[in-house]
Amino acid sequence: MMDKLYVIKGFYNNDTIYYVSTEISSHPNLPVWKVTDSIENATKYSNLDIAISDCKNLRCHIFKVYPVCPICNMDYSDHSAISRVDNSTEICPDCGMKEALVDFVNNKI
């Protein structure tokens, strides 16, 4: 079974941004969010509760927590699929469809 990971993702000016960290600025009541446009540089959470807590602490409606597919390393929002490799790992629907098609083709030959 592969580890389940999560990211905090938002949309700003029609661009996708991923949360990296929050830093304290010179103004004590004004935190600075570090974000990236790449999921590779985003903070990955192995605990959903911590990801949700950090997202709530941002106090901004543009961010949500998304699962990350362990196969393609992309976030997704649709219902997950179960990997045919171990019958327990949740993967994105696209990778689930690819696994199903590979099985179908291999069993037809």
Side-chain angles (χ1 to χ4, degrees):
M1 180 175 208
M2 297 175 247
D3 291 335
K4 183 104 180 201
L5 297 175
Y6 304 90
V7 292
I8 298 174
K9 177 173 94 169
F11 300 96
Y12 183 74
N13 288 340
N14 294 322
D15 291 327
T16 301
I17 56 174
Y18 294 93
Y19 174 76
V20 177
S21 65
T22 302
E23 295 182 356
I24 305 301
S25 70
S26 57
H27 189 280
N29 294 327
L30 186 64
V32 175
W33 298 332
K34 289 183 108 178
V35 295
T36 181
D37 62 355
S38 166
I39 193 170
E40 289 84 19
N41 298 323
T43 297
K44 310 247 183 1
Y45 296 86
S46 58
N47 183 304
L48 177 58
D49 292 331
I50 294 173
I52 291 171
S53 175
D54 280 2
C55 188
K56 284 181 181 178
N57 287 338
L58 295 175
R59 296 185 179 131
C60 183
H61 68 281
I62 68 168
F63 289 106
K64 288 172 130 181
V65 175
Y66 292 86
V68 177
C69 178
I71 295 174
C72 66
N73 293 313
M74 297 304 295
D75 62 272
Y76 59 96
S77 59
D78 294 333
H79 290 288
S80 60
I82 300 297
S83 175
R84 292 169 176 256
V85 173
D86 62 8
N87 289 322
S88 63
T89 300
E90 292 182 27
I91 60 176
C92 73
D94 291 340
C95 288
M97 181 63 74
K98 289 174 189 171
E99 284 187 0
L101 289 171
V102 167
D103 276 358
F104 176 77
V105 168
N106 288 341
N107 289 326
K108 287 296 247 181
I109 297 176

